[in-house]
Amino acid sequence: MTRRVVLAASAALMILGLIVLTWGFRDLPIDERPEWMVVQMVVWPVAVLGMVETLRLFRYARHGLTIRVDHWRLLTHGLPALFIVAMPAGAFTTWFGASTIWALLDFPTAKVMAAFWLAVTLWASWEVVV
């Protein structure tokens, strides 16, 4: 039960992190955002976490353990990330207003970070059953 609460709380903290990090980009025009930041935000987390997860799964499978999908993680982390990524630009602003923190989820930075969040969630949702 504690694990489920931690996963749900970490999903909420991930949304808060998306808002906080996007806040720093909100006043920059899209063409003035440094390309290296976008590349690092995309490549680094996906590559490193993907390598870690792949190596972990291969090691466990090599030792004869069974691998299963963590449906609770997919529900608590995957669905919110997918929702943020899939919403059309301006949806959060329309629903909550331009002056709310939720409107920051419409920015491209939040969409990219949510895409990483979804990718990492999909990688990390595979578990080993003893």
Side-chain angles (χ1 to χ4, degrees):
M1 185 63 171
T2 303
R3 185 174 176 280
R4 288 183 173 198
V5 172
V6 168
L7 275 173
S10 63
L13 288 173
M14 192 64 166
I15 292 172
L16 181 63
L18 289 172
I19 291 169
V20 168
L21 290 172
T22 303
W23 205 320
F25 289 105
R26 70 175 184 208
D27 295 330
L28 285 176
I30 289 177
D31 59 343
E32 291 183 18
R33 293 180 186 165
E35 286 297 320
W36 63 268
M37 289 180 116
V38 175
V39 171
Q40 281 188 354
M41 285 173 38
V42 172
V43 173
W44 184 253
V46 172
V48 171
L49 292 172
M51 287 182 347
V52 168
E53 290 298 318
T54 301
L55 292 174
R56 181 179 67 94
L57 291 175
F58 279 143
R59 187 177 66 237
Y60 288 144
R62 191 174 41 227
H63 287 91
L65 298 172
T66 305
I67 299 170
R68 72 170 182 90
V69 177
D70 183 354
H71 297 286
W72 180 249
R73 181 178 295 193
L74 285 175
L75 179 71
T76 58
H77 280 265
L79 283 180
L82 181 62
F83 183 73
I84 292 168
V85 169
M87 282 290 98
F92 291 102
T93 302
T94 302
W95 292 340
F96 300 107
S99 61
T100 64
I101 62 170
W102 298 105
L104 294 171
L105 294 175
D106 283 330
F107 282 83
T109 305
K111 300 280 188 189
V112 170
M113 290 176 62
F116 290 133
W117 181 19
L118 180 60
V120 170
T121 299
L122 293 175
W123 273 112
S125 292
W126 297 89
E127 292 187 338
V128 176
V129 179
V130 180

